[in-house]
mmCIF file of all heavy atoms in Angstrom:
data_model
loop_
_atom_site.group_PDB
_atom_site.id
_atom_site.type_symbol
_atom_site.label_atom_id
_atom_site.label_comp_id
_atom_site.label_asym_id
_atom_site.label_seq_id
_atom_site.Cartn_x
_atom_site.Cartn_y
_atom_site.Cartn_z
ATOM 1 N N THR A 22 31.093 14.354 -17.749
ATOM 2 C CA THR A 22 30.283 13.542 -16.915
ATOM 3 C C THR A 22 29.384 12.511 -17.757
ATOM 4 O O THR A 22 28.941 12.905 -18.830
ATOM 5 C CB THR A 22 29.239 14.423 -16.077
ATOM 6 O OG1 THR A 22 28.494 15.245 -16.995
ATOM 7 C CG2 THR A 22 30.090 15.261 -15.134
ATOM 8 N N CYS A 28 14.342 8.374 -17.057
ATOM 9 C CA CYS A 28 13.060 8.195 -16.395
ATOM 10 C C CYS A 28 11.984 8.961 -17.115
ATOM 11 O O CYS A 28 12.176 10.078 -17.580
ATOM 12 C CB CYS A 28 13.111 8.609 -14.936
ATOM 13 S SG CYS A 28 11.542 8.291 -14.003
ATOM 14 N N SER A 43 13.419 12.523 -18.847
ATOM 15 C CA SER A 43 14.589 13.127 -18.262
ATOM 16 C C SER A 43 15.724 12.097 -18.123
ATOM 17 O O SER A 43 15.504 10.895 -18.131
ATOM 18 C CB SER A 43 14.306 13.749 -16.959
ATOM 19 O OG SER A 43 13.220 14.739 -17.015
ATOM 20 N N VAL A 53 15.982 17.596 -18.673
ATOM 21 C CA VAL A 53 14.781 17.261 -19.383
ATOM 22 C C VAL A 53 15.126 17.175 -20.827
ATOM 23 O O VAL A 53 15.613 18.118 -21.414
ATOM 24 C CB VAL A 53 13.683 18.276 -19.154
ATOM 25 C CG1 VAL A 53 12.451 17.950 -20.003
ATOM 26 C CG2 VAL A 53 13.334 18.402 -17.755
ATOM 27 N N GLY A 65 -2.671 5.688 -27.754
ATOM 28 C CA GLY A 65 -1.771 6.574 -27.087
ATOM 29 C C GLY A 65 -0.600 5.831 -26.360
ATOM 30 O O GLY A 65 0.584 6.340 -26.340
ATOM 31 N N SER A 127 3.747 26.706 -8.527
ATOM 32 C CA SER A 127 2.658 26.458 -9.520
ATOM 33 C C SER A 127 2.430 24.971 -9.604
ATOM 34 O O SER A 127 3.260 24.206 -9.203
ATOM 35 C CB SER A 127 3.044 27.082 -10.790
ATOM 36 O OG SER A 127 3.221 28.504 -10.715
ATOM 37 N N GLN A 196 -40.212 1.880 0.620
ATOM 38 C CA GLN A 196 -39.039 1.895 -0.334
ATOM 39 C C GLN A 196 -37.706 1.537 0.396
ATOM 40 O O GLN A 196 -36.948 0.717 -0.169
ATOM 41 C CB GLN A 196 -38.811 3.361 -0.914
ATOM 42 C CG GLN A 196 -39.672 3.567 -2.079
ATOM 43 C CD GLN A 196 -39.169 4.761 -2.896
ATOM 44 O OE1 GLN A 196 -38.535 5.677 -2.320
ATOM 45 N NE2 GLN A 196 -39.364 4.898 -4.132
ATOM 46 N N LEU A 208 -25.570 -8.697 -1.326
ATOM 47 C CA LEU A 208 -24.400 -9.056 -0.403
ATOM 48 C C LEU A 208 -24.226 -10.543 -0.386
ATOM 49 O O LEU A 208 -23.178 -11.042 -0.427
ATOM 50 C CB LEU A 208 -24.648 -8.434 0.908
ATOM 51 C CG LEU A 208 -24.516 -6.897 0.995
ATOM 52 C CD1 LEU A 208 -25.023 -6.370 2.336
ATOM 53 C CD2 LEU A 208 -23.049 -6.463 0.798
ATOM 54 N N LEU A 238 -11.182 -14.075 12.416
ATOM 55 C CA LEU A 238 -11.026 -13.829 10.988
ATOM 56 C C LEU A 238 -11.891 -14.792 10.158
ATOM 57 O O LEU A 238 -11.740 -16.010 10.294
ATOM 58 C CB LEU A 238 -9.571 -13.945 10.560
ATOM 59 C CG LEU A 238 -8.547 -12.855 10.902
ATOM 60 C CD1 LEU A 238 -7.162 -13.217 10.432
ATOM 61 C CD2 LEU A 238 -9.038 -11.557 10.450
ATOM 62 N N LYS A 281 0.378 14.200 21.528
ATOM 63 C CA LYS A 281 -0.249 12.936 21.575
ATOM 64 C C LYS A 281 0.364 11.926 20.589
ATOM 65 O O LYS A 281 0.678 12.320 19.499
ATOM 66 C CB LYS A 281 -1.738 13.078 21.263
ATOM 67 C CG LYS A 281 -2.597 11.888 21.379
ATOM 68 C CD LYS A 281 -4.125 12.235 21.082
ATOM 69 C CE LYS A 281 -4.881 10.967 21.177
ATOM 70 N NZ LYS A 281 -6.382 11.212 20.879
ATOM 71 N N SER A 285 -0.859 6.650 12.369
ATOM 72 C CA SER A 285 -0.872 7.618 11.359
ATOM 73 C C SER A 285 -2.160 7.625 10.501
ATOM 74 O O SER A 285 -2.608 8.682 10.080
ATOM 75 C CB SER A 285 0.287 7.336 10.322
ATOM 76 O OG SER A 285 0.118 6.174 9.660
ATOM 77 N N ILE A 295 -11.839 -3.524 7.690
ATOM 78 C CA ILE A 295 -12.228 -4.878 7.707
ATOM 79 C C ILE A 295 -11.690 -5.586 8.976
ATOM 80 O O ILE A 295 -12.209 -6.698 9.434
ATOM 81 C CB ILE A 295 -11.685 -5.645 6.474
ATOM 82 C CG1 ILE A 295 -12.487 -6.946 6.221
ATOM 83 C CG2 ILE A 295 -10.178 -5.951 6.649
ATOM 84 C CD1 ILE A 295 -14.009 -6.690 5.959
ATOM 85 N N ALA A 340 -1.674 -12.890 10.202
ATOM 86 C CA ALA A 340 -2.047 -13.294 8.896
ATOM 87 C C ALA A 340 -0.844 -13.297 8.017
ATOM 88 O O ALA A 340 -0.657 -14.201 7.170
ATOM 89 C CB ALA A 340 -3.188 -12.431 8.365
#
Side-chain angles (χ1 to χ4, degrees):
T22 57
C28 182
S43 299
V53 176
S127 301
Q196 272 199 334
L208 289 170
L238 288 180
K281 186 176 180 180
S285 68
I295 203 62

